[in-house]
């Protein structure tokens, strides 16, 4: 079966949709949402849009499409409209913040506290980080990431968004924390930024950490070091702005420390607290444990739910 992913053009959205589709066994393609220029409705939440398909650039679904996987708020509204137009089932990822009736299945987080006969709740975001994927990445990145006998601290950096700020002042605090950790624990440190990491914050981090041996790895496509950092590190540090990055980190068996940022999100705070209670993440400090931990991966459970619904 073939799925078309509908979402705003954010890496985290595509990661979740791709991860779910591949676990189910769907082939897939993606179609990003682009607003029509000058549309006055785009300043309002998508659930309030009249005629949602008129608010965005036109979609023409592939005739191969058997199911739509919509992601996020705008993705959910557009996905529901496309499903109605084409007569296709729609699987919604994340709380659409509107009626759940148009969706065959809604995959949401426990912290969304959604209820409904078509709702399936997961502890973590959906993703494609499996043991097989990590095993494949390890030999490709081992020589680049594990350059000596020291344990490796892998650092995943996000960036500013509507809830958290990651500017120079936050970068200075993170640099101080990482520098202290490198000196106290005598580790190698490999840092990979995201597209959202500001150039100014990244420059400060490089200035402070490269003299301590910190190495910064960047790349796209096959040269993206992200999966290599997950596969080859002994412990991880992740900024608190991204449920997706934290979910991918805890899908490994590595201890995970959370790096604080300015700002607040009730939803993300609830998510992190849940993982802390399970002993799966910790506030980042020099006391971060080195012991391996349980892999948390609810994507396979969500995929089973989709297979049951689709009778696969």
């Amino acid at each position: 079966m073939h799925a078309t992913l509908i979402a705003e053009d954010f890496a985290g959205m595509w990661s979740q949709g791709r991860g779910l589709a591949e676990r189910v066994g769907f082939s897939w393609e993606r179609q990003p949402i682009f607003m029509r220029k000058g549309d006055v409705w785009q300043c309002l939440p998508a659930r309030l849009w009249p005629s949602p398909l008129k608010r965005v650039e036109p979609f023409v679904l592939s005739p191969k499409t058997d199911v739509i996987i919509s992601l996020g708020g705008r993705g959910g509204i557009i996905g529901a409209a496309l499903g109605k137009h084409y007569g296709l089932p729609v699987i919604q990822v994340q709380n659409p913040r509107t009626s759940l009736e148009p969706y065959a299945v809604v995959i949401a987080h426990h912290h969304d506290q959604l209820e409904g006969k078509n709702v399936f709740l997961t502890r973590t975001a959906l993703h494609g980080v499996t043991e097989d994927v990590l095993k494949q990445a390890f030999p490709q990145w081992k020589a680049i990431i594990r350059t000596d006998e020291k344990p490796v601290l892998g650092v995943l950096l996000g960036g500013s968004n509507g809830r958290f700020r990651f500017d120079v002042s936050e970068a200075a605090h993170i640099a101080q924390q990482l520098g202290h950790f490198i000196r106290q624990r005598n580790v190698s440190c490999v840092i990979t930024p995201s597209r959202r990491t500001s150039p100014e914050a990244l420059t400060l981090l490089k200035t402070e950490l490269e003299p301590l041996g910190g190495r910064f790895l960047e790349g796209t496509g096959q040269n993206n070091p992200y999966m290599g950092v997950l596969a080859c590190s002994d412990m991880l540090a992740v900024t608190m702005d991204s449920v997706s990055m934290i979910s991918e980190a805890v899908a490994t068996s590595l201890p995970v420390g959370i790096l604080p940022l300015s700002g607040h999100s009730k939803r993300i705070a609830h998510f992190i607290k849940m993982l802390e209670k399970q002993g799966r993440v910790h506030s980042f400090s020099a006391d971060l444990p080195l012991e391996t931990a349980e892999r948390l991966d609810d994507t396979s459970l969500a995929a089973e739910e989709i297979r049951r619904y689709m009778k696969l």
Side-chain angles (χ1 to χ4, degrees), residues 236-283:
L236 296 169
V238 189
T239 54
M240 69 187 304
D241 55 292
S242 173
V243 169
S244 290
M245 286 200 309
I246 296 171
S247 296
E248 288 164 342
V250 300
T252 72
S253 60
L254 305 178
V256 177
I258 303 298
L259 293 164
L261 295 173
S262 299
H264 180 71
S265 164
K266 183 178 179 180
R267 183 175 65 91
I268 293 180
H270 186 277
F271 170 66
I272 291 174
K273 185 173 292 186
M274 178 269 292
L275 293 177
E276 287 176 337
K277 286 182 178 178
Q278 296 187 17
R280 194 57 195 87
V281 303
H282 313 266
S283 294

Side-chain angles (χ1 to χ4, degrees), residues 197-269:
T197 309
S198 77
E200 295 80 11
L202 190 57
T203 296
L204 186 144
L205 286 164
K206 288 180 177 179
T207 299
E208 296 295 324
L209 296 176
E210 284 181 340
L212 301 178
R215 290 177 291 129
F216 290 77
L217 300 181
E218 303 177 59
T220 58
Q222 294 297 316
N223 295 320
N224 188 333
Y226 185 88
M227 203 61 65
V229 172
L230 294 179
C232 298
S233 298
D234 296 291
M235 61 202 91
L236 296 169
V238 189
T239 54
M240 69 187 304
D241 55 292
S242 173
V243 169
S244 290
M245 286 200 309
I246 296 171
S247 296
E248 288 164 342
V250 300
T252 72
S253 60
L254 305 178
V256 177
I258 303 298
L259 293 164
L261 295 173
S262 299
H264 180 71
S265 164
K266 183 178 179 180
R267 183 175 65 91
I268 293 180

Side-chain angles (χ1 to χ4, degrees), residues 7-10 32-46 49-59 73-75 77-78:
E8 294 183 83
D9 195 19
F10 298 133
I33 295 170
F34 296 111
M35 295 296 297
R36 290 184 186 270
K37 292 182 179 179
D39 191 284
V40 297
W41 290 96
Q42 61 186 282
C43 61
L44 295 177
W49 293 348
S51 305
L53 294 181
K54 294 182 179 180
R55 313 273 74 84
V56 298
E57 294 295 328
F59 285 91
R74 286 187 175 181
I77 297 300
I78 298 301

Side-chain angles (χ1 to χ4, degrees), residues 1 24 26 306-312:
M1 299 189 76
V24 176
F26 293 152
I306 301 305
R307 281 193 283 267
R308 279 195 294 270
Y309 169 77
M310 303 295 291
K311 296 181 173 57
L312 299 177

Side-chain angles (χ1 to χ4, degrees), residues 3 20 24 26 67-71 88-93 102-107 126 306 309-310:
L20 178 63
V24 176
F26 293 152
V67 60
I68 293 169
I69 298 179
S70 55
L71 300 104
L88 293 170
V90 182
I91 298 165
Q92 167 65 14
V93 177
Y103 308 104
V105 182
V106 177
I107 310 294
L126 306 178
I306 301 305
Y309 169 77
M310 303 295 291

